[in-house]
Amino acid sequence: VGAKHSHTHTYMPALPDIGFGAPTLRPSASVPLIPTPAGGRRRVRNHQACQTDESALPQLRELQSQLDESREMLSRLMHALRSTEARIHRDVQHEYELRLRNQSRRAGEKASFLQKRAEHRVAAVRAAARSQQVAALNTWQSDHAAVLESALRERDG
């Protein structure tokens, strides 16, 4: 059976609850990783150097009060930060949507303008083609009339 190693620690730093977010490591406190066996005994040390002097209690209470106030202020600041972050996110989202709508409207206006311009150009080309057809027909009619007239003169003459 293997030998026990006296230098192996079965304790891990405790994670205090500070009122928000993920807990942080606190190296001064420890909790057992492995439960104490039934009937077993945990080693408890009460050294004189670890005992709190009675005269330091008021100062410790004041420090605890300041720590509680700091935690409360930090909690309020975190809440304000989250609220501000959410508001900024909403404002940016609104700005994006507004820009998208404006861009979409301008694209629609541009497409409508291009379509009308194309229709005007097609109408102009058709009018020019009609004018050319009318001119060609008039030329043909006048040429045909001249040929007929000269043919009639030759016959009668």
Side-chain angles (χ1 to χ4, degrees), residues 28-151:
S28 62
S30 60
V31 293
L33 285 174
I34 303 171
T36 305
R41 170 178 98 98
R42 284 184 59 200
R43 183 183 296 194
V44 179
R45 295 182 182 154
N46 288 326
H47 295 287
Q48 182 66 29
C50 296
Q51 299 299 312
T52 304
D53 185 18
E54 287 284 327
S55 64
L57 286 178
Q59 186 180 8
L60 287 175
R61 286 188 187 106
E62 177 64 28
L63 289 173
Q64 183 63 45
S65 174
Q66 290 174 0
L67 180 61
D68 291 343
E69 289 173 8
S70 297
R71 285 180 177 161
E72 178 63 29
M73 182 172 41
L74 186 58
S75 177
R76 286 193 306 267
L77 288 173
M78 289 299 291
H79 177 72
L81 179 65
R82 286 185 193 113
S83 298
T84 302
E85 183 181 22
R87 182 182 49 79
I88 289 171
H89 179 73
R90 284 191 310 268
D91 291 349
V92 167
Q93 186 70 27
H94 177 71
E95 180 68 23
Y96 282 147
E97 290 171 0
L98 183 65
R99 288 182 181 189
L100 181 62
R101 272 187 260 133
N102 286 340
Q103 186 66 24
S104 180
R105 179 186 48 80
R106 284 193 302 255
E109 289 172 355
K110 177 82 172 194
S112 176
F113 167 76
L114 292 174
Q115 183 178 5
K116 286 178 183 176
R117 186 172 73 178
E119 288 171 358
H120 286 295
R121 287 182 177 173
V122 167
V125 168
R126 285 181 180 158
R130 258 187 257 114
S131 295
Q132 286 177 353
Q133 287 175 346
V134 167
L137 183 62
N138 288 339
T139 302
W140 180 80
Q141 284 176 342
S142 65
D143 288 347
H144 184 64
V147 168
L148 268 175
E149 189 176 315
S150 86

